[in-house]
Amino acid sequence: DVVMTQSPDSLAVSLGERATINCKSSQSLLHSSNNRNYLAWFQQKPGQPPKLLIYWASTRESGVPDRFSGSGSGTDFTLTISSLQAEDVAVYYCQQFYTSSYTFGQGTKLEIK
Amino acid sequence: QVQLQESGPGLLKPSETLSLTCTVSDYSISSGYYWGWIRQPPGRGLEWIGGIYRDGTTYYNPSLKSRVTISVDTSKNQFSLKLSSVTAADTAVYYCARSIAGQLLFNFWGQGTLVTVSS
């Protein structure tokens, strides 16, 4: 089973500053047939369902602000918020969609410093 | 834009079968995409349960496969989840969702429904 490990578990960043969340998978998520990384990022605010932000490791979902970006390949991935806004306070999850377990990371709680 | 709404009993006893239905609005299930279920125990992370295509082809998380059945009723524009032999560990918010094109990755989600398993 693919294990997804996020770091840190929680993060406090000042408004306007950069926030970086890491995600490591126990096996490569890069598919050789299409050279795509089967990795997604979600944002979840209290009392709401998760919202898809990024898939294929770096493709922004429609309507997602461009301050959100994803990078990485293989087993190591990063979600970056370039300039933190108050509405970005949430828990962020990575998810692999490479294998049939479609596992999520444990989540990273992002707060304002 | 597509809307999804979960419905079903909110309280079950151990060993019973959880049954939830997702009603889809503003999009026909018959038109495509994958449809699926994800759950989240209170205060914890997310677990992918499984998905189904319009033709009835199903995909299950191996860790739950022995207890899960997902079905689709295109005439009612609904799909359903059954989880047998529930225990307290199955207490969670259950979300139904629709996928992006061609992948079992969900980008439209219902608001979720809490199912509690307790004697």
Side-chain angles (χ1 to χ4, degrees):
Chain A
D1 203 12
V2 179
V3 178
M4 307 298 291
T5 304
Q6 293 179 226
S7 62
D9 289 332
S10 63
L11 179 64
V13 175
S14 300
L15 289 173
E17 296 299 306
R18 179 185 301 260
T20 301
I21 298 170
N22 301 301
C23 177
K24 188 175 184 67
S25 61
S26 60
Q27 70 177 67
S28 177
L29 304 181
L30 178 62
H31 206 293
S32 57
S33 67
N34 57 12
N35 205 37
R36 284 179 162 177
N37 287 281
Y38 283 59
L39 187 283
W41 289 97
F42 288 84
Q43 174 194 65
Q44 187 177 31
K45 298 180 180 180
Q48 296 184 19
K51 175 186 176 181
L52 178 64
L53 297 175
I54 286 170
Y55 56 98
W56 301 132
S58 60
T59 299
R60 260 189 309 275
E61 171 72 338
S62 175
V64 173
D66 60 6
R67 64 178 181 275
F68 290 91
S69 63
S71 62
S73 184
T75 61
D76 293 279
F77 302 91
T78 300
L79 173 69
T80 301
I81 307 172
S82 61
S83 177
L84 189 70
Q85 305 299 302
E87 62 265 31
D88 300 335
V89 169
V91 178
Y92 291 83
Y93 294 94
C94 61
Q95 183 200 11
Q96 63 85 12
F97 53 107
Y98 189 95
T99 72
S100 59
S101 57
Y102 294 85
T103 39
F104 291 86
Q106 80 277 17
T108 295
K109 187 174 185 179
L110 177 59
E111 298 173 313
I112 305 294
K113 185 186 292 183
Chain B
Q1 127 170 337
V2 62
Q3 297 185 62
L4 303 101
Q5 179 66 58
E6 306 87 353
S7 60
L11 181 62
L12 293 173
K13 289 182 167 47
S15 81
E16 292 184 333
T17 295
L18 178 157
S19 293
L20 296 175
T21 296
C22 184
T23 301
V24 179
S25 304
D26 299 324
Y27 189 84
S28 172
I29 288 179
S30 298
S31 297
Y33 294 100
Y34 295 95
W35 306 85
W37 295 92
I38 309 93
R39 69 180 182 178
Q40 185 171 34
R44 298 182 61 187
L46 299 158
E47 182 176 31
W48 191 91
I49 299 172
I52 191 165
Y53 193 60
R54 58 183 176 179
D55 64 359
T57 303
T58 52
Y59 308 83
Y60 298 136
N61 187 326
S63 69
L64 296 169
K65 186 174 183 177
S66 64
R67 298 195 292 134
V68 172
T69 303
I70 296 175
S71 59
V72 64
D73 186 339
T74 54
S75 67
K76 295 182 179 179
N77 219 35
Q78 296 175 332
F79 61 102
S80 299
L81 169 69
K82 290 189 186 300
L83 180 67
S84 63
S85 305
V86 297
T87 69
D90 295 310
T91 293
V93 174
Y94 286 76
Y95 296 100
C96 63
R98 194 196 83 174
S99 74
I100 67 171
Q103 298 294 324
L104 275 156
L105 174 68
F106 300 116
N107 63 339
F108 285 101
W109 295 55
Q111 286 300 305
T113 188
L114 175 63
V115 178
T116 302
V117 180
S118 175
S119 55

